Amino acid sequence: MAGRDAEKRHTDGDGKRHTDVTDSAESTWEQQLLDHLRPTARDVRRIVDWLAATVDATVSLRDDAGTLLAGRTVSLDEDLAADIVAGRIASAACEDDGRHLRLLRVDLPPPAGAGVLTVSRTAPFDRRTSEVVTHTTAALALLLCAERTTATGQRLARATSDLRLAILQLLMVEDTVAARRVAAGLWPGLLDTDTACVYVVESTPDDRDRLAEACIAATRDHALVVRCPAMDAHVIVVAPHDTAGPALRGLCDRHPDTFLGGSLPQGLAHTATAYGQAVSALAVAHFRPGKAAVHAERTHPERLMDPAVVHAWTTRLLRPLDTLPHHTRAELLATTRLGLEFTAVNTAKVLGVSRNTVRARMERVETLLGTDFADLTVRAAVHLALTAQAGLDDLGSGPATAPVHLDDLLTGPALHSWAGDLLTRLDTDPRDLRRTLRTWIAAGGNAERAAHLLGVHAQTVREHVRSAEPVLERQLLAAGSDLYEVVLAHLITGDLDRPRLHPAQSGLPDAPVHR
């Protein structure tokens, strides 16, 4: 019958009539199998279930240990299964207690080496059934091979990502020797530099993986690109010789909702400082039309201070840490730098330690310095010292012979002009944002305490502080460099009392001065 499909009927020697399904039926099951191999429908369990329904059989797929991976359990000769898994035979057919079985070897993704696909029927395997089983086994092999390749690629990507993070964490605690050693295996020469810039690129958590790959492509793998362990929307880029800036700015131009913050060039041992600068610049980038900012693009108070005085004050303030072993001192300083910028939880994620470890290290620094980090003015002063300490080698003069106090740093017309210009931006708002901000800082950044002092609602305090952020171009509700600059501005203008450092040790920097 031309143009029509037909069934071929024949009689076996036992007199029973059998039907072989021809082109139309074959096309149907083949098409169904192909549908299961489409990218959006690939599922080993679904294919095994489909095979069972198509050939009216019980089907199981198990690994080399006998664990069922898909289908239903089928009892079989374990010695025969072992021969198939070991590769001594590729397949087997047998009849057992009225059941007709086909056993076929299937390669599995690691750690399993191979598995056994078993098809059990009460009826014998005819030509159609055998073809369906054979083609399905081949399809499973292709699908599992693709999964092996994908799984291997994913494991390699995860391992590479973990390695990048490990290198960053070593740099954060000033262990540049170990960081270079780890990096040398995969990125030879990447850290063969004295200075580097740190950039933080921000998008959305959902786009972070795409953004990280774009950063790697933009820097041509000549920079350390790390998915930030603390902020789901951030990608950290450590770029030797400041070579990545233009390429990363181009990313911001091409991709919406992408922002870039960059640091000044810093020695590799001061990566933690550079990271803080980059995060601070990122906050400014949100207020810039170009969506990008670099730390050096605005005047920072420490750059207006006498370098020799800064050197002397910083050296004396941090002297209690000088008695510690170098690696311990470096850990405490790096942890405190980040702990003053971020929460204990986020600092712990960046450094790869527990938050209890972060708190313990910072409490040790508090004890050594005789300070209380609950006071925002203390935090701002110590942050200033740590920022200056990162660049002591560039400050030139050695420490002065006479005791140097914080008051000695916060003087001079340039500083007073900077502080006045910054804070007077708030005076145009009729809500008296300046008074609210000053009270909030004095209350340790606690909106409830500030609200009690001002006689307003805590939400009003938060709204005022939030309204001050775009005016000052600084993030305030998130503690960090931006907030500490504003605190220093209040100290310079005399709107806040000087912090107490080493309160119990007379003669040390910033011991209480009795007036």
Side-chain angles (χ1 to χ4, degrees):
M1 296 175 61
R4 295 189 179 183
D5 297 318
E7 293 181 345
K8 296 181 181 178
R9 293 181 175 83
H10 60 85
T11 303
D12 285 346
D14 59 6
K16 295 181 179 179
R17 295 178 63 81
H18 296 277
T19 300
D20 288 341
V21 181
T22 58
D23 296 341
S24 178
E26 290 175 359
S27 298
T28 299
W29 71 257
E30 287 175 348
Q31 185 60 52
Q32 291 174 355
L33 180 57
L34 286 173
D35 287 341
H36 281 289
L37 295 179
R38 297 183 188 280
T40 57
R42 292 174 182 172
D43 188 298
V44 170
R45 292 182 180 84
R46 289 179 59 188
I47 292 178
V48 169
D49 291 342
W50 171 85
L51 175 60
T54 302
V55 301
D56 190 21
T58 302
V59 182
S60 75
L61 176 63
R62 55 184 241 179
D63 63 15
D64 51 359
T67 303
L68 185 67
L69 302 178
R72 298 169 57 190
T73 302
V74 177
S75 60
L76 68 159
D77 186 328
E78 295 298 337
D79 292 335
L80 188 59
D83 288 339
I84 291 176
V85 169
R88 288 186 284 271
I89 56 176
S91 63
C94 61
E95 185 176 355
D96 178 33
D97 196 21
R99 296 180 306 144
H100 299 269
L101 290 89
R102 290 283 177 89
L103 288 75
L104 302 99
R105 188 177 191 273
V106 179
D107 290 331
L108 297 176
V116 178
L117 179 71
T118 305
V119 182
S120 174
R121 284 167 44 95
T122 55
F125 285 82
D126 56 24
R127 180 175 65 86
R128 171 185 177 273
T129 304
S130 298
E131 287 182 355
V132 173
V133 171
T134 300
H135 282 80
T136 303
T137 304
L140 282 171
L142 288 172
L143 178 58
L144 291 167
C145 178
E147 288 185 355
R148 282 197 303 276
T149 303
T150 301
T152 300
Q154 289 173 342
R155 285 196 302 273
L156 179 60
R158 282 196 300 268
T160 303
S161 179
D162 291 344
L163 188 60
R164 292 176 187 271
L165 175 58
I167 295 169
L168 176 67
Q169 289 170 340
L170 288 169
L171 291 175
M172 287 289 191
V173 295
E174 303 183 17
D175 196 347
T176 57
V177 174
R180 286 189 174 108
R181 187 181 299 123
V182 174
L186 285 180
W187 303 283
L190 177 64
L191 299 181
D192 292 347
T193 177
D194 293 327
T195 63
C197 288
V198 174
Y199 293 92
V200 177
V201 192
E202 180 185 72
S203 183
T204 63
D206 291 341
D207 287 341
R208 206 255 295 264
D209 287 344
R210 174 198 59 78
L211 181 62
E213 294 302 322
C215 290
I216 291 173
T219 59
R220 300 183 180 181
D221 221 9
H222 292 158
L224 181 68
V225 179
V226 181
R227 292 166 176 81
C228 179
M231 304 299 291
D232 292 340
H234 288 186
V235 175
I236 302 170
V237 181
V238 181
H241 313 300
D242 191 21
T243 55
L248 295 177
R249 284 177 182 269
L251 284 181
C252 293
D253 294 337
R254 294 192 300 272
H255 298 283
D257 301 322
T258 302
F259 302 90
L260 174 69
S263 75
L264 294 169
Q266 297 282 352
L268 282 182
H270 302 311
T271 300
T273 298
Y275 174 58
Q277 292 179 352
V279 172
S280 176
L282 180 64
V284 177
H286 281 265
F287 305 116
R288 295 285 178 85
K291 303 185 298 181
V294 175
H295 189 72
E297 289 181 354
R298 74 184 191 207
T299 302
H300 297 275
E302 66 270 17
R303 301 173 70 86
L304 302 175
M305 298 175 184
D306 185 332
V309 177
V310 172
H311 191 161
W313 176 75
T314 299
T315 301
R316 290 172 63 85
L317 178 66
L318 301 180
R319 184 170 296 162
L321 281 78
D322 294 343
T323 59
L324 302 173
H326 174 74
H327 72 279
T328 301
R329 184 179 187 274
E331 280 185 346
L332 293 181
L333 289 176
T335 302
T336 304
R337 283 192 190 101
L338 292 175
L340 292 175
E341 294 276 357
F342 310 105
T343 65
V345 172
N346 285 347
T347 300
K349 290 178 180 178
V350 171
L351 294 177
V353 298
S354 72
R355 57 185 174 183
N356 289 335
T357 298
V358 170
R359 292 191 178 105
R361 289 177 182 175
M362 293 189 68
E363 286 171 2
R364 188 175 181 186
V365 173
E366 280 183 304
T367 301
L368 288 169
L369 300 185
T371 61
D372 179 6
F373 287 155
D375 186 333
L376 275 180
T377 60
V378 169
R379 291 172 71 91
V382 174
H383 182 270
L384 173 64
L386 294 176
T387 301
Q389 189 269 344
L392 281 181
D393 293 340
D394 301 326
L395 294 180
S397 307
T401 55
V404 177
H405 299 277
L406 183 60
D407 284 345
D408 299 315
L409 269 66
L410 305 182
T411 58
L415 268 177
H416 277 272
S417 175
W418 168 83
D421 291 344
L422 179 66
L423 296 182
T424 52
R425 299 181 194 176
L426 302 171
D427 294 342
T428 57
D429 195 299
R431 293 173 293 178
D432 201 354
L433 299 183
R434 186 166 177 174
R435 174 172 175 260
T436 302
L437 185 57
R438 179 176 66 249
T439 306
W440 178 75
I441 292 172
N446 186 289
E448 283 75 16
R449 287 203 299 267
H452 177 73
L453 294 171
L454 293 168
V456 297
H457 195 278
Q459 187 58 32
T460 301
V461 173
R462 295 188 188 96
E463 289 175 358
H464 285 196
V465 174
R466 192 175 290 112
S467 297
E469 290 184 328
V471 177
L472 300 176
E473 288 191 333
R474 285 159 174 82
Q475 283 189 321
L476 303 175
L477 291 172
S481 300
D482 286 1
L483 173 59
Y484 301 141
E485 285 191 4
V486 175
V487 174
L488 287 177
H490 282 85
L491 292 173
I492 292 167
T493 58
D495 289 344
L496 289 173
D497 294 333
R498 297 289 194 265
R500 287 174 168 262
L501 304 174
H502 297 300
Q505 302 182 49
S506 177
L508 289 176
D510 305 301
V513 178
H514 300 288
R515 292 183 173 87

